[in-house]
């Protein structure tokens, strides 16, 4: 592409991504870098003010441990996460994030985020770990602090990071392209911190036709973290642990406030409460079936059993919950006031973070205080910071991690100089927005330390840069060269456009890897067939074509998704059991095997051979006392 300018940027620490983890990393890395006269640069595919999963705002901060109040301990949080993940978690990472998360929340408040307070001036909790916020501008507030810390000249927006730049098996930077101008970017750095979020649209979404593109997880996070770390040769963990949220149907509105704050019930069409009628099923998943709160995947599972038995739709009983709360007020005038307050809270919950759910309610004449609203299990997502766990296998903190989990700098992947946070780092779920920010801060500091102690200039050969440039820009050439071969730009014997490619990927994953149409169920034969089809799709990736920069980004997003898909299918195949029913069910191996599979299932794509390696890694309890681990569901 002769008319493409190559822009080279040299820096000490490069942060890729501009979301919660990246903004946390920016604040901390900038502080420590200044002390050592180092430069920190951040690059985001979008505009940092409104990028990532928090773009639209949130109505709650989901991780606040409240260590200072003395109500919760680190051990409480670790127990909660371990149980929710059916025993598979890195306790060192969860505890490390939990001991730093409160300070991130206090920073948000200092920077201007309104956090709800009660009359005594205490934070209003949605649940044990969640705080209610007026969060429409949450991301703007967090971004402003990051921008102030880094300085605007060190931030590149609307640059799509496509691949890592390597110096042998050490990271040397990243390459990508502007989605607005004909510019190919080559960032060279001593340390790179990956925080490009998780992945959506790997599986076919429930939404189709005019709703296409609507998903619980924002469509702009497309597996770039997984692709980047895999291509750098990093070991990955928990790639089988996808997340399926149960949300208000079709617009994916949040259910947290309804379950936790309004204490609503969910029932099937017959009015039965599946959490009660299906309770005995929990005995099949002990010890986790007996813990409180019941793990998210098991709650999903009980509802799914009702759906499989033809007892849908499943409803959130909003009318019942609002009535119960307002009836509790005896004075009629006060009761009326309370009712109004509850109605407005119900709508604001959506308006703060999922505006389209409010629009759908309005469009379907849904009055929450009068009738119930449908909820449903969404398609699977990869979001290691929420209730999934997929991400890179990273080194733990020196004071907490056993030798098996520690190989140097905290949050460094198994590739020298490559750091990960938020959705990009694995086995430390339930960090959410605040924990991702806190993890970003720790990882950012660690990356600066690496750059100080490894001062050699980053080196990447010209041949490597040229080859990457050619490969990354190829879809533009392909379109240019072949567009005349047919009259319909979408149908051409020489190329495939991004949408058709994505549909193929989603169909494979949906039907063979346990998506919505397969009732989240799969088996060895289906997975093997899926692998075969993914192999053919991979061959066709070199035929992707794009008429402009926007579609070039779409092409690469789908390549990134495809790699996330492959890591997932390989790991679901490798783990010979069903551990997370409600997320996926192996019909050929329908029960949990604690003896052989209470371990991490890790994988690695080996750059020198192009082959995949699969390996088990041990679960090492840190917070449970002897004998207590199993009782806690460990
Ligand atoms: C629907 C939904 C609801 C949620 N609700 C809550 C809640 O109520 N409370 C709570 O605390 N948490 C909530 N979370 C979790 C929270 O949003 C995430 O934990 C957090 O945003 C993860 O931070 P991150 O930095 O890893 O990813 P993100 O914040 O998503 O940031 C990813 C960044 O990477 C950038 N990026 C992606 N690809 C590229 C690329 N190729 N090149 C350059 N940049 C790229 C994006 O533009 C973005 O800036 C929710 C998440 C979702 C999806």
């Amino acid at each position: 592409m002769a008319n493409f300018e190559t822009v080279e940027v040299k820096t000490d620490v490069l942060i890729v991504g501009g979301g919660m983890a990246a903004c946390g990393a920016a604040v901390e890395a900038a502080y420590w870098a200044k002390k050592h006269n180092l430069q920190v640069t951040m690059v985001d595919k979008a505009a940092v003010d409104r990028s990532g999963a928090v773009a639209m705002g949130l109505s709650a901060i989901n991780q606040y441990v409240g260590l200072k109040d003395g109500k919760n301990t680190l051990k409480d949080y670790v127990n909660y996460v371990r149980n929710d993940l059916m025993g598979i978690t890195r306790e060192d990472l969860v505890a490390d994030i939990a001991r730093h998360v409160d300070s991130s929340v206090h920073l948000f408040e200092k920077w201007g985020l309104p956090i709800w307070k009660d009359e005594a001036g205490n934070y209003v909790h949605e649940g044990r770990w969640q705080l209610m916020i007026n969060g429409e501008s949450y991301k703007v507030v967090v971004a402003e602090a990051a921008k102030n810390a880094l300085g605007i000249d060190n931030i590149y927006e609307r640059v799509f990071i496509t691949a890592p730049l390597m110096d042998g098996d050490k990271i040397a930077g990243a390459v990508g392209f502007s989605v607005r101008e004909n510019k190919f970017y080559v960032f060279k750095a001593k340390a790179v911190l990956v925080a490009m979020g998780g992945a959506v649209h790997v599986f076919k979404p429930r939404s189709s036709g005019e709703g296409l593109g609507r998903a619980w997880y924002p469509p702009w996070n497309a597996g770039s973290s997984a692709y980047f770390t895999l291509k750098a040769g990093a070991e990955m963990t928990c790639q089988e642990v996808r997340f399926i949220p149960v949300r208000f149907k079709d617009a994916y509105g949040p259910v947290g406030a309804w379950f936790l704050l309004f204490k609503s019930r969910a029932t099937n069409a017959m009015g039965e409460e599946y959490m009660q009628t299906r309770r005995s099923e929990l005995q099949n998943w002990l010890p986790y079936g007996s813990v409180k709160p019941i793990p998210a995947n098991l709650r999903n599972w009980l509802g799914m059993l009702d759906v499989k038995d033809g007892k849908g739709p499943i409803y959130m009983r909003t009318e019942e919950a609002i009535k119960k709360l307002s009836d509790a007020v005896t004075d009629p005038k006060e009761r009326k006031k309370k009712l109004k307050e509850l109605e407005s809270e119900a709508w604001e919950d959506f308006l703060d973070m999922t505006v389209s759910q409010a629009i759908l309610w309005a469009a379907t004449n849904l009055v929450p205080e009068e009738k119930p609203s449908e909820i449903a299990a969404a398609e699977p997502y990869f979001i290691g910071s929420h209730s999934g766990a997929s991400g890179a296998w990273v080194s733990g903190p020196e004071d907490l991690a056993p030798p098996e989990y520690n190989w140097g700098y905290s949050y460094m992947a198994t590739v020298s100089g490559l750091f990960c946070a938020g959705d990009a780092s694995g086995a430390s779920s339930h960090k959410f927005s605040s924990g991702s920010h806190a993890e970003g801060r720790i990882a950012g500091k660690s990356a600066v330390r690496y750059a100080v102690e490894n001062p050699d200039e980053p080196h990447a050969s010209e041949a490597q840069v040229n080859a990457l440039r050619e490969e990354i820009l190829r879809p533009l050439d392909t379109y240019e060269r072949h567009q005349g071969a047919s009259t319909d730009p979408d149908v051409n014997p020489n190329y495939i456009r991004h949408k058709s490619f994505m549909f193929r990927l989603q169909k494979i994953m949906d039907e063979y890897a346990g998506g919505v149409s397969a009732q989240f169920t799969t088996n060895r034969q289906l997975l093997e067939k899926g692998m075969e089809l993914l192999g053919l799709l991979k061959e066709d990736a070199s035929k992707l074509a794009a008429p402009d920069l926007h579609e070039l980004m779409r092409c690469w997003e789908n390549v990134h998704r495809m790699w996330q898909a492959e890591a997932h299918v390989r790991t679901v195949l490798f783990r010979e059991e069903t551990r997370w029913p409600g997320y996926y069910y192996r019909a050929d191996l329908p029960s949990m095997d604690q003896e052989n599979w209470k371990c991490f299932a890790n994988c690695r794509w080996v750059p020198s051979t192009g082959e995949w390696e699969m390996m088990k890694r041990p679960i090492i309890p840190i917070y449970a006392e002897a004998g207590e681990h199993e009782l806690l569901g460990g």
Side-chain angles (χ1 to χ4, degrees):
M1 299 295 295
N3 62 346
F4 251 80
E5 183 191 344
T6 295
V7 181
E8 193 174 314
V9 179
K10 254 197 180 168
T11 187
D12 295 296
V13 174
L14 178 69
I15 300 169
V16 288
M20 290 306 291
C23 286
V27 169
E28 199 77 24
Y31 175 84
W32 292 101
K34 211 173 263 171
K35 291 189 184 296
H36 297 279
N37 213 15
L38 295 182
Q39 191 186 8
V40 182
T41 302
M42 181 177 181
V43 50
D44 191 347
K45 80 192 260 196
V48 183
D49 273 352
R50 288 280 179 193
S51 67
V54 183
M56 216 184 321
L58 293 179
S59 49
I61 286 176
N62 280 356
Q63 190 188 10
Y64 183 75
V65 181
L67 283 177
K68 254 206 197 143
D69 310 339
K71 284 190 190 133
N72 296 309
T73 63
L74 288 183
K75 185 174 164 177
D76 292 332
Y77 202 76
V78 171
N79 288 344
Y80 158 59
V81 178
R82 185 199 313 110
N83 288 334
D84 200 67
L85 268 293
M86 308 289 280
I88 309 297
T89 202
R90 280 272 302 271
E91 296 189 15
D92 57 325
L93 300 176
V94 174
D96 193 33
I97 294 164
R99 68 183 168 179
H100 288 98
V101 71
D102 294 354
S103 64
S104 267
V105 175
H106 300 152
L107 281 173
F108 300 156
E109 192 173 24
K110 188 174 131 196
W111 295 333
L113 179 72
I115 305 183
W116 291 17
K117 296 261 176 68
D118 62 16
E119 276 154 19
N122 300 315
Y123 292 143
V124 173
H125 279 256
E126 184 186 50
R128 182 172 178 183
W129 313 105
Q130 299 86 356
L131 302 182
M132 295 302 292
I133 56 173
N134 288 101
E136 186 278 335
S137 299
Y138 186 8
K139 185 63 204 305
V140 184
V141 169
V142 170
E144 186 183 37
K147 287 200 231 170
N148 287 342
L150 288 179
I152 219 76
D153 291 347
N154 292 316
I155 301 175
Y156 292 79
E157 292 184 327
R158 304 198 188 281
V159 173
F160 182 86
I161 289 300
T162 320
L165 206 53
M166 303 301 293
D167 178 4
D169 49 15
K170 190 173 134 206
I171 195 81
V175 292
F177 56 89
S178 162
V179 298
R180 292 281 166 91
E181 304 167 295
N182 282 356
K183 286 183 178 170
F184 182 74
Y185 279 91
V186 180
F187 294 95
K188 291 188 176 162
K190 292 169 189 157
V192 175
L193 194 152
V194 180
M196 292 185 280
V200 67
H201 285 328
V202 174
F203 281 81
K204 189 160 119 190
R206 282 183 183 273
S207 311
S208 59
E210 62 175 348
L212 186 70
R214 175 127 282 281
W216 173 80
Y217 195 82
W220 45 81
N221 280 349
S224 297
S225 295
Y227 180 82
F228 194 98
T229 43
L230 274 166
K231 284 296 249 191
E235 184 171 329
M236 308 294 282
T237 190
C238 297
Q239 291 300 307
E240 75 282 37
V241 193
R242 49 161 88 168
F243 177 44
I244 295 180
V246 166
R247 291 294 180 267
F248 283 95
K249 190 165 173 293
D250 295 331
Y252 302 85
V255 296
W258 283 99
F259 280 133
L260 300 172
L261 199 68
F262 298 127
K263 310 275 181 246
S264 176
R265 296 189 312 147
T267 64
N268 65 25
M270 289 83 203
E272 297 160 353
E273 199 176 342
Y274 56 82
M275 292 306 298
Q276 299 304 330
T277 52
R278 301 268 177 194
R279 190 156 279 272
S280 61
E281 168 66 17
L282 295 174
Q283 295 300 307
N284 296 329
W285 306 98
L286 294 176
Y288 315 107
S290 67
V291 299
K292 272 194 183 142
I294 298 166
N297 68 293
L298 292 182
R299 281 180 275 148
N300 283 2
W301 179 235
L302 301 192
M304 283 173 188
L305 289 174
D306 265 16
V307 173
K308 280 187 192 185
D309 276 2
K311 293 186 166 186
I314 304 290
Y315 288 112
M316 181 73 83
R317 303 300 300 267
T318 56
E319 82 299 5
E320 211 184 72
I322 289 185
K323 185 171 181 329
K324 212 168 154 194
L325 286 173
S326 56
D327 280 358
V329 181
T330 42
D331 177 61
K333 220 165 149 199
E334 285 300 312
R335 191 183 315 137
K336 221 168 163 192
K337 210 169 125 202
K338 179 74 183 170
L339 190 64
K340 276 262 156 288
E341 194 183 300
L342 290 166
E343 273 170 38
S344 98
E345 274 171 12
W347 286 89
E348 190 185 331
D349 183 40
F350 293 155
L351 292 171
D352 268 353
M353 60 185 287
T354 319
V355 180
S356 38
Q357 184 70 56
I359 295 171
L360 187 71
W361 267 10
T364 51
N365 300 335
L366 200 296
V367 182
E369 61 275 26
E370 288 176 8
K371 60 177 181 185
S373 190
E374 256 189 270
I375 55 174
E379 58 281 354
Y381 307 106
F382 298 91
I383 176 162
S385 67
H386 203 286
S387 307
S390 54
W393 182 243
V394 295
S395 184
E398 271 163 32
D399 61 331
L400 292 176
E404 292 86 340
Y405 295 167
N406 178 282
W407 49 92
Y409 302 89
S410 306
Y411 299 89
M412 190 171 82
T414 54
V415 170
S416 186
L418 179 66
F419 293 78
C420 301
D423 291 332
S425 78
S428 54
S429 58
H430 291 280
K431 43 199 174 191
F432 304 102
S433 61
S434 44
S436 296
H437 190 269
E439 187 185 23
R441 285 169 54 214
I442 316 167
K445 182 177 174 183
S446 191
V448 170
R449 201 180 120 210
Y450 178 94
V452 171
E453 293 171 6
N454 297 271
D456 290 351
E457 285 302 313
H459 172 76
S461 72
E462 213 178 307
Q464 184 190 170
V465 171
N466 289 340
L468 281 167
R469 185 185 139 113
E470 199 193 315
E471 186 192 358
I472 289 167
L473 302 182
R474 186 182 301 137
L476 293 170
D477 272 340
T478 304
Y479 188 87
E480 181 75 28
R481 234 168 333 118
H482 297 294
Q483 58 176 323
S486 72
T487 48
D488 182 342
D490 285 340
V491 183
N492 193 300
N494 304 294
Y495 65 66
I496 180 167
R497 280 177 91 173
H498 73 93
K499 233 179 206 170
S500 307
F501 189 88
M502 184 180 77
F503 289 151
R504 251 175 82 186
L505 170 67
Q506 291 180 343
K507 187 169 159 61
I508 296 168
M509 295 305 284
D510 183 55
E511 293 174 0
Y512 298 95
V516 169
S517 342
Q519 303 250 42
F520 312 109
T521 302
T522 185
N523 64 29
R524 170 166 297 282
Q525 288 80 0
L526 281 165
L527 291 162
E528 282 170 354
K529 185 72 195 171
M531 275 306 302
E532 190 187 322
L533 294 173
L534 276 177
L536 297 172
L537 184 70
K538 214 169 183 180
E539 277 178 23
D540 287 347
S542 63
K543 298 277 178 11
L544 276 159
D548 54 34
L549 291 171
H550 182 73
E551 282 205 22
L552 183 64
M553 175 179 74
R554 292 280 180 255
C555 288
W556 279 101
E557 282 176 346
N558 284 308
V559 173
H560 290 181
R561 288 185 177 112
M562 180 183 68
W563 279 69
Q564 173 63 83
E566 184 173 353
H568 180 61
V569 175
R570 284 183 185 278
T571 317
V572 174
L573 257 171
F574 180 61
R575 180 178 281 283
E576 295 182 322
E577 62 164 355
T578 293
R579 182 164 290 262
W580 299 273
Y583 290 168
Y584 74 84
Y585 188 73
R586 282 275 308 249
D588 53 341
L589 298 161
S591 46
M592 197 165 62
D593 177 355
Q594 288 282 71
E595 201 182 325
N596 295 303
W597 287 100
K598 194 178 152 197
C599 62
F600 294 104
N602 285 8
C603 68
R604 176 172 177 253
W605 178 78
V606 185
S608 57
T609 62
E611 299 292 320
W612 289 74
E613 284 173 354
M614 306 300 301
M615 55 288 233
K616 287 182 175 184
R617 299 283 182 226
I619 304 277
I620 301 171
I622 299 171
Y623 274 82
E625 282 131 33
E628 199 184 1
H629 201 244
E630 287 304 326
L631 276 178
L632 290 166

